Amino acid sequence: MMINNIVSKKEWSVYELTSYLKKKIEIDVLLKNIYLKGEVIRPSVSGDHLYFELKDLEYDAKIKCVFFWFDKSVEIKHGSKVLVKGNVIFYEKEGIIELKVSEITDIGLGELFVKLKQLEEKLRQEGLFDSKYKKEIPRYPKKVGIVTSKNGAAIRDILNTIYTRFENIQVYIYSCSVQGQNAPYEICEGIEYFNTAEPVEVIIVGRGGGAFEDLMAFNSEIVVRKIFESKIPVISAVGHERDYVLSDFVADMRAITPTNAGEMVVSFQKQALEKLNECHKRMKSAMEKIFNMIKEKVGILQYKLYQNSPANTIAKRAQDIDLYCHKLSFAISKKLHEAHRNLKNFEKRLADLNPESRLSVARTNFDNCSRRLGEAFKKIFQQKEFAYKVNLEKLIALNPLNVLKRGYSITLHNSKILTTISQISNGDEIVTQLSDGIIKSKVFFKQEGAESDV
Amino acid sequence: MCELQKDMKFEDAMKRLEEIVKSLEDGNLSLEEAIKLYEEGVRLSKVCNDILRSVEKRVVLIEKLNGEYIQDDITNDIYGGLGQKE
């Protein structure tokens, strides 16, 4: 249906094409469960899946392979010669063909790999990889030679690395092929050129990453020998860290990447430059510190000098005098103040002791006392008067004269009151006292007994 | 050209410079000594700097064409003819 649509069209959309191809491949039974023999190129594991390329053992042909949930017990290395079973599938979104592997069998190392191993062993036996032959890489090279392709990514990486870190360096690039049949010879020419025509201090030989066979020029015997013969130190910088080639073993230094090689030739110079700047700064600040310390010392000395200068001594004395004056006046005023206070105190006490006041107090007391005396006297007088009056009354009541008034009389003889007749004798003169006068009589008779009828 | 010796000299100068910096930082020097050392340090740092800066950036491309080596100074146009295609 869709195919009919397509046939009638002149223009295809990408999706139409990829969908068409997918269908074509999926319906082709020949592409189901096929067996392929080849060499594993750059295997990489991602999670539980194995990705690699399978290279034809004779021709320049490759196909991408994926082995989902592969058997991890089978170790698949770069260069392994394997037999795989799988289905060809087409990814319409990416437009790529892949072999979806279901089985993989290692049928020994790739031939190439075997040859390489033999060569490596031979060269090692000869001592080409011995560390005793390794030359020192100059730390501060001014002129660097690079043997690589002018079209590769490696040269850009190297130059970027060098010139972003350090400007004062000269780079001579000998451009040559780095893969293919002529590559080994051209690489050797480049190394020779820097050893003769254009002397440099260090040579970088290398290229960017690639498939195993793309790096083969750097495994070639002539290149290895040329590097070994070079009078100038050589840094080998081929592919990535995991790519090992024979030039890495023979070189005086192996860089894991071209970028790393660039770092090697400038890192010391960059560090030296940084160190120089740092030293300069530190020297300056140390000097400043020293100057400041000395300045401080001078300052202290100046201060001490000033402190001990006559002018300052005088000023100090003047200050002392001022201080003493101040203290003195303060003391005097304090004394005055005290005296004043005492005076006030005494005045007050004197005032308190004033005789006038005592006099007035005494007077008051005296007045009080005399008033009380008068009152007491009066009281006593009144009491006495009262008693006297009472007594007088009594006396008046008891007055004998009053008895006389009632008719009684007193008879006296020789001024003696007669109480009995025995005191007198007949013929005696007697005086009778009445209330209002006396009678003189002579006794002519006396009789005992009370009543008489006289 | 004895590069190694130059390197050695350079490294010696750097070492001496670092010694000077340390002594100056210790600060147990008289002013005269410090000034003397500082002058030496400045001299050394100039020498080292001159060594480091002794060449100008230069990028030369060498290609063999018809059996002849052609040198091309591409300093000002490094990426004009480089790394354009793999």
Side-chain angles (χ1 to χ4, degrees), chain A residues 139-140 142 150-152 156 159-160 168 170-175 189 193 198 282 287 294, chain B residues 10-11 25 31 38 45 52-53 55 57-60 62-64 69 71 78-79 82-83 85:
Chain A
R139 291 177 167 202
Y140 307 96
K142 291 285 142 215
K150 69 170 185 181
N151 300 320
R156 268 180 310 160
L159 287 173
N160 275 337
N168 303 82
Q170 297 181 345
V171 177
Y172 283 69
I173 303 152
Y174 186 95
S175 184
E189 270 185 339
Y193 183 83
E198 189 67 64
R282 277 168 65 186
M287 266 327 268
I294 286 164
Chain B
F10 176 80
E11 300 222 303
E25 281 176 340
L31 186 59
Y38 181 74
S45 95
L52 282 176
R53 304 279 197 195
V55 302
K57 172 180 179 176
R58 187 157 184 241
V59 183
V60 178
I62 302 136
E63 285 181 278
K64 195 178 178 186
Y69 297 105
Q71 283 207 4
I78 291 179
Y79 302 118
L82 298 181
K85 53 181 190 290

Side-chain angles (χ1 to χ4, degrees), chain A residues 136-143 149-156 159-160 163 166-176 189 193-194 197-198 201 207 209 268-273 275-280 282-287 289-291 293-294, chain B residues 3-4 6-7 10-11 14 17-18 20-25 27-31 34-38 40-46 48-64 69-71 74 78-79 81-86:
Chain A
E136 209 174 318
I137 305 296
R139 291 177 167 202
Y140 307 96
K142 291 285 142 215
K143 194 171 170 185
S149 162
K150 69 170 185 181
N151 300 320
I155 189 61
R156 268 180 310 160
L159 287 173
N160 275 337
Y163 286 118
F166 189 71
E167 277 279 312
N168 303 82
I169 189 164
Q170 297 181 345
V171 177
Y172 283 69
I173 303 152
Y174 186 95
S175 184
C176 62
E189 270 185 339
Y193 183 83
F194 287 129
E198 189 67 64
E201 290 159 77
R207 57 155 294 155
F268 279 102
Q269 317 204 55
K270 180 174 172 263
Q271 273 173 25
L273 210 57
K275 199 169 255 174
L276 269 182
N277 288 334
E278 190 210 351
C279 281
H280 212 105
R282 277 168 65 186
M283 272 200 313
K284 267 180 96 165
S285 69
M287 266 327 268
K289 216 167 152 184
I290 290 166
F291 276 131
M293 256 166 58
I294 286 164
Chain B
E3 287 303 338
L4 200 70
K6 193 173 130 187
D7 277 0
F10 176 80
E11 300 222 303
M14 286 295 284
L17 183 59
E18 281 185 86
I20 286 168
V21 172
K22 281 198 179 79
S23 329
L24 282 174
E25 281 176 340
N28 304 323
L29 299 166
S30 70
L31 186 59
I35 289 170
K36 225 167 156 176
L37 270 184
Y38 181 74
E40 192 190 340
V42 170
R43 241 196 341 271
L44 280 170
S45 95
K46 192 183 176 312
C48 292
N49 208 35
D50 287 350
I51 291 171
L52 282 176
R53 304 279 197 195
S54 61
V55 302
E56 288 290 305
K57 172 180 179 176
R58 187 157 184 241
V59 183
V60 178
L61 181 65
I62 302 136
E63 285 181 278
K64 195 178 178 186
Y69 297 105
I70 309 294
Q71 283 207 4
I74 56 164
I78 291 179
Y79 302 118
L82 298 181
Q84 291 311 297
K85 53 181 190 290
E86 279 289 350

Side-chain angles (χ1 to χ4, degrees), chain A residues 32-89:
Chain A
K32 298 271 178 282
N33 290 326
I34 53 165
Y35 284 92
L36 277 182
K37 201 192 250 185
E39 191 180 298
V40 173
I41 303 291
R42 280 182 298 194
S44 72
V45 176
S46 172
D48 291 326
H49 317 308
L50 175 71
Y51 298 87
F52 59 97
E53 282 180 348
L54 203 61
K55 185 181 171 288
D56 192 277
L57 297 174
E58 285 177 56
Y59 299 99
D60 192 12
K62 282 185 286 194
I63 185 159
K64 282 186 192 293
C65 299
V66 58
F67 192 176
F68 294 114
W69 295 284
F70 74 107
D71 178 10
K72 288 197 176 100
S73 64
V74 181
E75 202 184 347
I76 303 301
K77 282 207 196 99
H78 178 87
S80 301
K81 220 172 180 185
V82 293
L83 180 70
V84 298
K85 180 188 174 190
N87 297 327
V88 177
I89 50 169

Side-chain angles (χ1 to χ4, degrees), chain A residues 179-235:
Chain A
Q179 64 191 75
Q181 276 189 315
N182 294 328
Y185 304 100
E186 289 183 25
I187 293 165
C188 287
E189 270 185 339
I191 295 167
E192 183 59 26
Y193 183 83
F194 287 129
N195 269 277
T196 52
E198 189 67 64
V200 290
E201 290 159 77
V202 59
I203 303 168
I204 298 169
V205 178
R207 57 155 294 155
F212 177 66
E213 66 276 20
D214 294 341
L215 312 180
M216 280 313 286
F218 297 89
N219 281 320
S220 66
E221 191 171 352
I222 58 163
V223 169
V224 173
R225 291 196 183 279
K226 192 79 206 168
I227 291 172
F228 183 75
E229 287 158 15
S230 173
K231 290 182 178 54
I232 295 159
V234 175
I235 297 171

Side-chain angles (χ1 to χ4, degrees), chain A residues 118-142:
Chain A
Q118 287 166 343
L119 178 61
E120 185 185 331
E121 202 44 48
K122 181 179 118 185
L123 297 173
R124 194 181 296 281
Q125 289 298 325
E126 276 185 48
L128 261 66
F129 305 153
D130 282 7
S131 55
K132 65 179 174 196
Y133 297 118
K134 304 261 182 251
K135 292 179 277 296
E136 209 174 318
I137 305 296
R139 291 177 167 202
Y140 307 96
K142 291 285 142 215

Side-chain angles (χ1 to χ4, degrees), chain A residues 237-257:
Chain A
V238 180
H240 306 293
E241 192 170 357
R242 63 168 185 275
D243 298 323
Y244 261 98
V245 287
L246 298 187
S247 68
D248 287 338
F249 301 143
V250 72
D252 300 296
M253 180 72 79
R254 179 205 177 212
I256 53 174
T257 58

